[in-house]
Amino acid sequence: MTKILNINSSVRNGDSISRKATAEFISKWKAKEPNAVVVERDVAAQPLPHIDGQTLGAFFTPAENRTAEQAQIAKLSETLVQELFDADVIVIGAPMYNFSITSGLKAWIDHVARAGVTFKYTEKGPVGLLTGKKVYIFTASGGVYSEGPAQAMDFTSTYLRAVLGFIGLTDVTFIQSEGIAMGAEGVQKAQAKTSDAINELLAA
């Protein structure tokens, strides 16, 4: 039985291309594996607090030494981290906002990328602790960033691949819905390409 963690970060709802893509992927996965368990985490509809000094203080205080307030602060992060450890498959909807990820998704990363919890430092350098999991990331962008002159401005896929790899999530597949600002035809073309990619991924 596969456990899937589905993370959405678009601030849009019904008209979100990345949300439609993750929903299609999950639906088609469930059609193949009805017993798969899906945990939903919507960092736009239910925003996470951004990291501040108190949060960092709680993170770096050993659990047995935390005050009641610090324990409460760390509880949310521990829940988010546990969702990752419990998952076999992680599905992320990551639309591009101003060439990078949403602030909501960045807040989620700040809560789960934790030294001694999801990665550790060793004599040979940092080692990610979240291993053996598959990640699918569905991006959406108004322009085309996978190739051409705008490719250098794609900080969405480059950042996510780097930071997820840092915590051990190295098996990452990107499915990009591009050119959605180019009118209705651009949206239809992007969605059709995404659907084809999903079908190909789940055909195996």
Side-chain angles (χ1 to χ4, degrees):
M1 181 177 66
T2 305
K3 295 181 180 179
I4 303 172
L5 174 60
N6 183 30
I7 302 164
N8 277 301
S9 64
S10 173
V11 301
R12 296 181 176 180
N13 196 356
D15 60 345
S16 166
I17 300 299
S18 65
R19 286 182 183 275
K20 289 178 181 178
T22 58
E24 180 181 350
F25 183 81
I26 296 294
S27 176
K28 289 180 176 178
W29 188 297
K30 290 280 287 182
K32 286 190 61 177
E33 186 186 351
N35 293 328
V37 175
V38 181
V39 173
E40 301 285 351
R41 173 63 64 177
D42 193 326
V43 298
Q46 296 177 313
L48 304 170
H50 289 283
I51 299 297
D52 58 16
Q54 286 183 311
T55 308
L56 285 180
F59 286 174
F60 287 107
T61 300
E64 63 274 14
N65 296 334
R66 288 173 184 156
T67 65
E69 181 181 12
Q70 287 177 321
Q72 185 61 35
I73 290 172
K75 186 176 181 180
L76 173 58
S77 171
E78 290 166 357
T79 297
L80 298 172
V81 167
Q82 193 60 53
E83 288 176 352
L84 278 173
F85 274 107
D86 289 344
D88 303 302
V89 174
I90 300 154
V91 179
I92 301 175
M96 177 186 284
Y97 288 8
N98 297 318
F99 311 119
S100 188
I101 61 174
T102 67
S103 61
L105 187 55
K106 179 58 167 63
W108 176 81
I109 289 169
D110 289 341
H111 279 279
V112 301
R114 291 179 53 191
V117 180
T118 54
F119 70 92
K120 65 180 179 179
Y121 291 107
T122 71
E123 293 179 355
K124 296 182 179 180
V127 175
L129 302 177
L130 284 161
T131 58
K133 303 175 188 298
K134 177 62 186 177
V135 182
Y136 298 94
I137 299 178
F138 292 86
T139 67
S141 59
V144 175
Y145 295 88
S146 63
E147 60 184 7
Q151 187 174 19
M153 293 185 287
D154 174 16
F155 302 108
T156 298
S157 59
T158 52
Y159 173 69
L160 286 174
R161 190 179 295 280
V163 73
L164 294 177
F166 195 81
I167 61 177
L169 300 172
T170 56
D171 188 358
V172 179
T173 296
F174 283 89
I175 303 92
Q176 297 171 303
S177 299
E178 301 183 289
I180 60 176
M182 300 176 185
E185 184 177 351
V187 172
Q188 292 173 359
K189 183 178 179 181
Q191 289 181 310
K193 185 177 180 181
T194 295
S195 290
D196 288 343
I198 291 172
N199 291 336
E200 184 175 345
L201 287 168
L202 297 181

